[in-house]
Structures are given as C-alpha cells and as structure tokens.
Amino acid sequence: MFGKLERHALLCRLRRSAKPPGRAALILPPARPGSLGDQAMFLSTLAALRQADYNRIGVLTYDLEDRYTSDEDIHHHQLKDFLRHGLEQGLMRFILHAQGYTDFFLIGADVMDGYYSAKDTLAKIQLARLANRCGLNTRLLGFSFNNHADKSCVVALRTLPAAVRMHSRDPVSHHRLMTLLGRDITLSADLAFLLAPNMARFEVKTLLDRLRALKDTGQVLIGINVAYLILGTHPTESQVSTLLTQVKEAIIAVAARHRNIAFIFFAHDNRGQTSDVILARRLVDSLREDLSEGQIVLPPAPLECDEIKALCAPLDGAFTCRMHFGIACLSQGVPIAAIGYQGKFEGLMERFGLDDMLFPNANVVKSHDLYSMVSKLIEEKARLKTSVRKSLPANLKLSASNFSDCLPSEALTEIIQRGVDTRNPVTNNQSMNLNLRKLHLDSST
C-alpha cells in the first residue's frame, strides 16, 4: 500500500508543478469540534491565513457533520475513514485533496505526544509526511510535549523530513523536543494568543458592562474555572466532588477575608456529563448560602472562545484548570493561578513570571493551598499584572511566529494588534501599544 501511496504522492507533486493551484492552505485541527481551546487555536489560524491572502482555505474533518466554521468560502474535506477509523484508503483521498493546495497546517496543540491516543497522533504525523511528499509546505503549528511521550510518536516525529517545520509553544516543550528529536524546532507560543476578542452579542456586551460596573464600585474581580482534566482523563465522581469541595472552601475563606470580591465562574468546555458548564453550576449552587448574590457571577452558557476572551478583560486575576482559559486571561494582561496537567502549564507560567502561581499536580492540592494562591492573586495583583503586561508583547510575537514564513511583517503586526482588546484599560495603555509597535517580525523570527 505504501508503494502505491508513494507513486500517487509523486504524481500529485508533478501535477501541482505542472498546474500550480495558486496559494491555498489546508488545515488539520487537533480534534473534532467542541473544545473551546481548539476553537481558539483554529480561529486564530484561520484569521492569520486570511491575512496572508490565501485564495483558498480548506479544513480536514474527522466526521461527515463536522463544521469548524460556517463561513461559506471555507472548504471542508471529510477524512473520517482515516482520521477516525485508520483505514489507509483514506490516504488516497487525502492525496486527491492535496492537489488543490500549496500549504498544509497541522495544529499540534496537546495531541502530538500521544497522551490521548498514540494511534491518532501517528495518523496525524503520517498525514504531515504525506503532505510533504505531495509537495505541500508542511508545518506543525504550536504544540506542547509532555515528559512521558509515547515512544512510537517520538520516533515518527524524529523521522519526519527536515522540510516539515515544527513549532513548540513553550520553552519546556521546546527543550524536550530538541533533546528527543535531535533536530531544529522553532520556539513559538500558543496560537490562541492571537485570538481577537468578540463582544458583538448582546448577552456578552451586557455582562461585560456589568463586570465593568462592578469594577467601578471597587470590586476585585476574580475568574474561576474548574475542569475535570486535571484529575486525569476518566476521574471518578468522588474525585470530582472532592475537587469542587476544595475550591468551594477556598472561595469561602477568600470571601471572608476580602469583602470586596466578586467571583466570575467561567466554563471553557461544553462537552460531556462532567463539562466545565456543569461543574461551574454545581460550584455556584453550593456557594449560594455562603456568598451574597453580588459576589457570584455565572456567565450565560454556551459562550464562544472569543467571547470569553472579551469577558476576561476586566478581571483582576483568575484561577484556572484549563490552559486556554488561562491564555484568554494572560493575553488580556490578566494574571492567573493554575493547576497544571499533562506538562502544558510549566512553560507558559515561566514565560509570564508566574512560576510560583502553579500547582503542577492536582492530587496534592488542598483547600488551604487554593486559598493561599487566590489570596496572593488579590493581594499582589499590581505586581503580578505588571509582570504579565511586561511579558505579553514578546509572547504575542512568538505566537505570530507560527506564520512568520508565510506572512509579511506588516501583516504579522496587524494580527498581533487584533488579539489585544483595545477597550481593556490593562492592555490599552501607552507602554503596551509602544511595545507592540516596536515588534519587528520577519521571516527570520
């Protein structure tokens, strides 16, 4: 089968050389639609490629009904037989799709180390190899790599052609990849830093106005996100209940010490019976007897990832169990405290000078630890916010470097600026805007 694929891939390369398809980009998202973190990375990628003036953009889908965007100019190509079922005949269809494109962008996210499924990761790597063989400029965009990567995935990545560009999204992952693969890896940042905030919907604008009004009265606004993934891929109900109790006790203790606090309970994933939405509601319901109505804000669900980013702007700080909610905050100049999982947080927190605001392991965290961390967010908010603001321009630049070989410097600067909420007093200040203007982004970034 591989010999046949090789022949057809070479034929694809020859056909494309004889009749170039024009500048056209094909995207492989990290998973099926549903994760707001994946949505943030996909939308950021899509916006960047539009900025690059590709005359055709396509998306590979995992199932027939998958639609990553309703934009009519985006072409969806179903690859269910290979991406979901591993049937190699699907690779022939991929070659047919590849004939219409010049560039292949694989959004690596947290799926390239095989943590969720080594089989799925190997399938993605095989598509990257085949895309390169078909003559497409192939890139693995900003991904993390944990310390216990599947060995077969490491080997597959190591043997990818040197022409396939790899971008790690944090310095810890970058070091691991350089050590394990023994090849050049571009140090970048997560794609979601470039996501443009969206406050167009009435419900979002109304809540944003409410949060700003609370802030104007002197309230300190603390975002709270609880997610089950910090407990593993399949936690028990007992583990989830224990986590909710610990967070509840910490919030009650913080509210008792700091009377001018309002907590905003964010959900950053809507899937499943233990989704962030369900956990947020459970947590809020358990707190109603202990906190006043003015201290609890539960945003409407569901929200889109760019709407959540807009709502992060007025926050003074946030506690999170999901990395992409953390990025939504950080990219608005808001400091975070976090419980890490899968080795994804360490490099991110290091970049913003927040190393001491991270619990690497949920299993050893107690209520008093959470209380101390959230209290630190409140008591040291000025210092922490300064650290985040100082680090943000460099991280925006690193995020844009995922596209530095396909966008001119002016376009890169524009997508960076679009990712900053110009109505946020934290980011809309003279020093921040000056730093953004000073970014020199070119093909050597």
Side-chain angles (χ1 to χ4, degrees), residues 37 40-41 44 189-196 309 324 327-328 331 399 419:
M41 290 182 287
S44 297
D190 194 279
L191 297 162
F193 277 103
L194 303 177
L195 181 69
K309 179 168 181 177
H324 279 104
I327 288 173
S331 58
S399 181

Side-chain angles (χ1 to χ4, degrees), residues 424-443:
N424 179 5
V426 172
T427 53
N428 186 24
N429 62 75
Q430 186 176 1
S431 62
M432 175 65 77
N433 290 332
L434 179 63
N435 286 334
L436 287 172
R437 287 196 297 271
K438 283 183 176 179
L439 293 178
H440 298 294
L441 297 161
D442 53 33
S443 58

Side-chain angles (χ1 to χ4, degrees), residues 64 111 119 126 168 190 225 247 271 303 343 349 390 424:
L64 289 170
V111 299
K119 179 183 175 183
Q126 190 170 358
S168 67
D190 194 279
N225 165 257
V247 176
R271 299 170 297 173
L303 291 169
M349 301 298 271
K390 182 179 179 181
N424 179 5

